[in-house]
C-alpha cells in the first residue's frame, strides 16, 4: 500500500517566552492572543497550573464532529500541550489538556473555549523553517496541516 506524502518538515528553534496567564482569563483565548500579538506562525506550547472550570471536546470520528464536555469545578492542569500554526490567515492554537480533580482523577481532551484560568504558567517556543497551514481534510473531517505551497514537480534529469 502506498502512503500519501505527509507534510514532514525540518524546523529550527525561534524565539521563546515564559510567562503566566491572568487569573480569570479564558485559557484558549489567552494563548491565542499571545500568539497572534507576537505573530507566532509556527510553535509549541506547554503549561501547568489550575483552572476554575473546564470545557474540553472529544472528536467523534464516526460522526465527524466535536462533542463538548464541561467540568464546573476547580482542577489542576497536569499538562497542557499544544502547537501553533496558521489557519484562515492567522496564528491558531491547537491544545490538549490533562486535568485532575480533588481526588486525583484525571480527565482530558481537546481544549475548548470556556476553560477559565485559576493560575497558569506557560512556555511558548516559536519554530522556524516551515510553514504549516490548516486546511479541511476530507478523510477525517478535521482541519489538518498541509503544506502551504504545493510541492514543485521534480525536474527530469
Ligand atoms: Zn485536538
Amino acid at each position: 500500500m502506498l502512503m500519501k506524502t505527509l507534510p514532514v518538515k525540518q524546523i529550527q528553534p525561534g524565539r521563546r517566552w515564559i510567562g503566566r496567564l491572568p487569573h480569570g482569563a479564558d485559557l484558549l483565548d489567552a494563548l491565542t492572543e499571545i500568539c497572534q500579538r507576537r505573530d507566532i506562525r509556527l510553535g509549541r506550547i506547554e503549561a501547568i497550573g489550575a483552572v476554575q472550570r473546564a470545557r474540553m471536546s472529544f472528536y467523534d470520528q464516526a460522526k465527524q464532529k466535536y462533542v463538548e464536555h464541561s467540568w464546573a469545578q476547580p482542577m489542576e492542569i497536569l499538562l497542557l500541550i499544544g502547537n501553533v500554526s496558521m489557519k484562515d490567515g492567522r496564528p491558531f492554537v491547537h491544545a490538549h489538556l490533562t486535568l485532575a480533580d480533588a481526588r486525583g482523577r484525571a480527565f482530558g481532551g481537546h481544549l475548548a473555549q470556556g476553560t477559565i484560568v485559576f493560575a497558569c504558567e506557560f512556555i511558548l517556543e516559536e519554530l522556524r523553517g516551515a510553514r504549516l497551514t490548516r486546511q479541511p481534510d476530507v478523510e477525517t473531517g478535521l482541519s489538518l496541516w498541509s503544506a502551504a505551497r504545493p510541492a514543485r514537480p521534480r525536474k527530469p534529469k
Side-chain angles (χ1 to χ4, degrees), residues 57 59 66 94-96 109-111 142:
S57 54
Y59 191 67
Y66 280 104
H94 178 203
H96 286 191
H110 174 102
L111 174 62
L142 291 165

Side-chain angles (χ1 to χ4, degrees), residues 23 27 30 36 38 43 58 68 75 101 114 116-117 122 130 147 152 155 157:
H23 178 84
L27 182 51
Q36 291 182 346
R38 287 164 178 77
F58 173 83
E68 299 221 324
M75 291 195 282
D101 71 7
I116 305 303
V117 171
F122 68 88
R152 288 186 204 124
K155 288 177 188 166
K157 287 183 181 173

Side-chain angles (χ1 to χ4, degrees), residues 40-45 82-85 124-127 145:
I40 302 165
R41 291 160 176 264
L42 190 68
R44 64 187 302 274
I45 302 172
N83 57 53
V84 186
S85 58
L124 175 56
E125 278 187 90
E126 181 186 45
L127 300 168
W145 284 339

Side-chain angles (χ1 to χ4, degrees), residues 13-48:
R15 300 170 292 172
R16 291 177 189 188
W17 294 267
I18 190 164
R20 184 169 72 80
L21 297 180
H23 178 84
D26 183 283
L27 182 51
L28 180 57
D29 286 348
L31 293 172
T32 300
E33 191 184 326
I34 290 167
C35 294
Q36 291 182 346
R37 278 195 184 182
R38 287 164 178 77
D39 197 31
I40 302 165
R41 291 160 176 264
L42 190 68
R44 64 187 302 274
I45 302 172
E46 65 176 59
I48 56 172

